[in-house]
């Protein structure tokens, strides 16, 4: 055997040993079990406190709540969603607390895939996003890190370590670029808005939000979990990236169930609440679920709205928490869908065969889901109306008025802001033609930001919502 061949084999052995040794470092990224002291013996939730909407410190006018969902669509959706945040920052409304930005009333953000980047960044850094996000992410060549994951030997730990995948590597990249070791405990200390980063459970096909309500189902503590890994899971495009895996500790929770699983015996078998409850019980069964494998949230819901729906279901079931907090003061709900998606590629319908791999991947990873987005929009709108009904009922139990307003004065405004709504056809086509990926030209980033910001200011529904905030008791009668 030649000396050069021996040297090559030795180098390969040294590299493999180093990579395997580095594999031990991945253990700290595992999700931790809930401590027994955190478990409630018989309460509305399995564990106390934690990263859930009703438990977070409140900001803004208690009578107003704004919820936003950021869609998938790579950096195109990231930039568009960021523009929507800028629009909310600059949109001033008159509330009972005085003049405030709509952004100050933001209580909840749901996001999938590319939309998870601005959502998580804002949740962690708040207004710092408006000075640093472009530098840290939007105008950085993130795609190069993906190439490096596959092409550079020192990034190929995923080849020799079965517990470390390509998306574990990307989670480390996102942490270096943006999150710098932040965990959900850091988000919890910030208070509202709550940020629900959503991924897709590969095995069950459900949306899986990174919230304590869902981590409760596997008896796990979200607070110590790295934010970067949640974002990586949400953005983990199938085939290109490996799954992010969570371990279930369900057996350690002793069969505890949250209140929102305790259904009325007459509950419709096809109701959304029953379907979500059946899903939850699969996670809680220690003989059914040992691990949860997560990939791109856009595979199950590319609008990011099903996470909102599930949260509204859970929230509507926590009647005790409503009465123990100021949530019962809510009388105006603004729900915004920030949709940075582009139309699907239909060119295959004009050819005999599907020769382009990209078309096939799109079909199996999201195109079919996207075709039924209108049903998701209807679902979340109806769920928001049901929450409003619950609020009215609870408010009116204490008399005809509540917190200075008629008890039944609760209204929901739903707004869908989409690239398809851009009035200039040339600009609309240019932005919709931006491919899904994590690197786009700086000029396109600017155009997408301006588009999102402009749609906020030009929305007639948002104008009507702003005008409804100062209605008093005598006006409403």
């Amino acid at each position: 055997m030649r000396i050069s061949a021996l040297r090559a084999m030795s180098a390969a052995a040294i590299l493999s040993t180093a990579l395997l040794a580095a594999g031990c470092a991945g253990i700290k990224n595992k999700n931790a079990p809930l401590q027994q002291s955190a478990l409630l013996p018989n309460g509305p939730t399995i564990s106390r406190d934690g990263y859930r909407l009703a438990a977070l410190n409140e900001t803004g006018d208690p009578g107003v709540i704004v919820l936003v969902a950021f869609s998938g669509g790579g950096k195109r959706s990231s930039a568009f969603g960021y523009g929507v945040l800028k629009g909310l920052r600059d949109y001033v409304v008159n509330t009972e607390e005085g003049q405030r930005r709509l952004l100050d009333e933001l209580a909840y953000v749901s996001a999938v895939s590319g939309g998870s980047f601005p959502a998580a960044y804002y949740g962690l850094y708040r207004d710092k996003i408006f000075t640093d996000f472009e530098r840290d992410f939007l105008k950085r060549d993130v795609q190069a890190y993906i190439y490096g994951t596959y092409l550079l030997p020192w990034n190929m730990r995923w080849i020799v370590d079965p517990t470390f995948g390509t998306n574990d590597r990307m989670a480390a990249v996102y942490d270096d670029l943006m999150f710098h070791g932040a965990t959900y405990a850091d988000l919890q200390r910030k208070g509202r808005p709550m940020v629900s980063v959503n991924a897709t459970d590969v095995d069950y096909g459900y949306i899986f939000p990174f919230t304590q309500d869902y981590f409760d189902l596997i008896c796990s503590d979200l607070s110590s979990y790295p934010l970067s890994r949640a974002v990586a899971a949400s953005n983990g495009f199938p085939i290109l990236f490996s799954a992010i895996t969570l371990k279930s500790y369900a057996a350690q929770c002793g069969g505890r169930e949250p209140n929102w699983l305790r259904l009325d015996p007459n509950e419709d078998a096809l109701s959304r609440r029953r379907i979500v409850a059946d899903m939850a019980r699969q996670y809680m069964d220690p003989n059914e679920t040992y691990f949860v494998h997560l990939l791109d949230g856009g595979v199950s819901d590319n609008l990011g709205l099903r996470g909102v729906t599930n949260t509204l279901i859970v929230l509507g079931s926590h009647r005790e928490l409503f009465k123990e907090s100021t949530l019962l003061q809510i009388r105006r709900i603004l729900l915004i869908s920030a949709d940075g998606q582009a139309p699907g590629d239909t060119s295959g319908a004009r050819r005999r065969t599907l020769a382009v791999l990209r078309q096939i991947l799109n079909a199996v990873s999201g195109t079919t889901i996207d075709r039924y987005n209108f049903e998701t929009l209807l679902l979340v709108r109806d769920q928001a109306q049901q929450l409003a009904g619950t609020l009215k009922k609870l408010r009116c139990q204490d008399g005809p008025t509540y917190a200075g307003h008629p008890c039944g004065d609760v209204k929901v405004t739903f707004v869908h802001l989409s690239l398809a709504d851009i009035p200039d056809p040339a600009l609309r086509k240019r932005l919709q033609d931006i491919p899904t990926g994590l690197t786009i030209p700086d000029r396109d980033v600017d155009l997408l930001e301006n588009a999102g910001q402009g749609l906020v200011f030009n929305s007639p529904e948002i104008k009507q919502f702003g005008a409804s905030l100062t209605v008093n008791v005598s006006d409403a009668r």
Side-chain angles (χ1 to χ4, degrees):
M1 184 178 293
R2 292 183 179 180
I3 298 297
S4 59
L6 285 170
R7 287 176 176 171
M9 291 177 63
S10 298
I14 291 170
L15 176 62
S16 297
T17 302
L19 289 170
L20 283 170
C24 296
I27 294 175
K28 66 184 175 68
N29 289 324
K30 290 183 179 178
N31 56 301
L34 279 167
Q35 298 296 315
Q36 289 297 308
S37 60
L39 299 179
L40 294 173
N42 184 24
T45 57
I46 290 176
S47 66
R48 60 174 51 86
D49 300 325
Y51 195 66
R52 56 184 116 234
L53 183 59
L56 295 182
N57 292 332
E58 300 165 4
T59 59
D61 185 335
V64 180
I65 187 170
V66 177
L67 307 95
V68 176
F70 290 134
S71 77
K75 195 169 278 189
R76 182 186 63 241
S77 287
S78 299
F80 180 74
Y82 173 59
V84 170
L85 285 176
K86 291 174 72 174
L88 296 177
R89 175 198 64 186
D90 298 335
Y91 200 108
V92 177
V93 293
N94 292 313
T95 75
E96 295 184 347
E97 303 291 323
Q99 279 200 338
R100 297 177 60 83
R101 309 177 304 173
L102 267 184
L103 188 61
D104 296 327
E105 310 306 330
L106 184 60
Y108 177 87
V109 182
S110 174
V112 295
S113 199
S116 294
F117 293 102
Y121 198 99
Y122 179 73
L124 184 61
Y125 298 115
R126 307 305 163 96
D127 277 15
K128 190 178 177 183
I129 191 174
F130 302 118
T131 58
D132 295 358
F133 188 53
E134 288 185 351
R135 179 202 63 203
D136 289 350
F137 179 72
L138 285 180
K139 294 185 177 179
R140 185 186 288 265
D141 183 10
V142 180
Q143 205 85 9
Y145 293 93
I146 300 176
Y147 297 142
T149 299
Y150 284 93
L151 300 177
L152 299 177
W154 51 87
N155 291 330
M156 293 183 179
R157 171 180 160 190
W158 52 273
I159 292 179
V160 296
D161 183 354
T163 68
F164 186 91
T166 52
N167 216 11
D168 294 289
R169 148 74 181 164
M170 291 308 298
V173 169
Y174 303 145
D175 196 63
D176 288 341
L177 296 180
M178 290 176 281
F179 302 117
H180 311 298
T183 66
Y184 273 86
D186 296 301
L187 281 188
Q188 187 172 341
R189 281 190 289 270
K190 295 283 186 177
R192 297 184 189 171
M194 178 179 179
V195 177
S196 175
V197 174
N198 305 304
T200 298
D201 183 329
V202 178
D203 300 295
Y204 295 140
Y206 301 132
I207 197 76
F208 190 94
F210 281 81
T211 66
Q212 189 56 56
D213 281 312
Y214 269 71
F215 266 54
D216 274 357
L217 303 179
I218 57 173
C219 205
S220 183
D221 180 13
L222 179 62
S223 65
S224 62
Y225 199 73
L227 183 57
S228 59
R229 291 183 65 76
V231 172
S234 183
N235 195 61
F237 188 80
I239 302 176
L240 180 61
F241 296 121
S242 59
I244 293 289
T245 299
L246 303 175
K247 178 177 172 55
S248 175
Y249 304 96
Q252 300 181 27
C253 270
R256 289 174 173 82
E257 286 191 352
N259 277 358
W260 58 276
L261 290 190
R262 296 163 191 161
L263 302 175
D264 187 302
N266 299 318
E267 183 86 31
D268 185 350
L270 295 179
S271 73
R272 180 68 184 172
R273 187 180 174 193
R274 178 173 288 279
I275 291 170
V276 172
D278 290 343
M279 169 275 298
R281 288 196 172 90
Q282 284 184 283
Y283 288 118
M284 297 170 64
D285 185 347
N287 298 314
E288 184 76 16
T289 303
Y290 301 161
F291 297 95
V292 180
H293 304 291
L294 301 173
L295 281 173
D296 197 317
V299 173
S300 53
D301 168 30
N302 210 28
L303 285 174
L305 283 171
R306 290 188 181 270
V308 178
T309 302
N310 293 351
T311 295
L312 293 176
I313 290 173
V314 172
L315 193 60
S317 303
H318 287 176
R319 300 195 176 195
E320 300 94 333
L321 294 178
F322 271 116
K323 293 181 177 180
E324 294 171 2
S325 69
T326 59
L327 287 175
L328 210 53
Q329 294 185 37
I330 295 172
R331 64 184 188 90
R332 294 292 181 267
I333 303 170
L334 175 62
L335 176 54
I336 299 175
S337 170
D339 183 1
Q341 298 178 102
D345 183 2
T346 59
S347 61
R350 299 185 290 277
R351 292 196 295 267
R352 174 66 181 82
T353 59
L354 280 177
V356 181
L357 179 60
R358 175 176 53 83
Q359 290 178 307
I360 298 173
L361 289 177
N362 285 342
V364 300
S365 65
T367 299
T368 304
I369 294 291
D370 294 346
R371 289 293 179 264
Y372 293 93
N373 279 341
F374 71 95
E375 292 185 348
T376 301
L377 293 168
L378 291 175
L379 175 66
V380 73
R381 187 190 65 182
D382 291 347
Q383 200 63 53
Q385 293 291 356
Q386 289 184 39
L387 175 62
T390 298
L391 283 168
K392 289 179 184 179
K393 183 176 180 179
L394 293 174
R395 285 161 57 96
C396 290
Q397 287 178 352
D398 294 330
T401 63
Y402 192 93
H405 293 273
C407 63
D409 181 27
V410 180
K411 296 180 181 178
V412 175
T413 301
F414 180 70
V415 184
H416 182 218
L417 304 177
S418 168
L419 291 179
D421 297 326
I422 296 173
D424 183 339
L427 177 61
R428 180 172 64 245
K429 184 177 187 309
R430 173 173 174 174
L431 297 184
Q432 289 180 330
D433 285 346
I434 296 172
T436 300
L438 292 183
T439 298
I440 61 177
D442 290 355
R443 176 58 180 157
D444 286 345
V445 169
D446 294 335
L447 291 174
L448 286 161
E449 290 176 15
N450 292 337
Q453 190 173 16
L455 288 174
V456 170
F457 272 91
N458 293 322
S459 167
E461 294 89 354
I462 292 179
K463 288 185 174 68
Q464 292 170 8
F465 174 82
S468 74
L469 297 182
T470 54
V471 176
N472 58 35
V473 174
S474 59
D475 292 333
R477 280 175 176 167

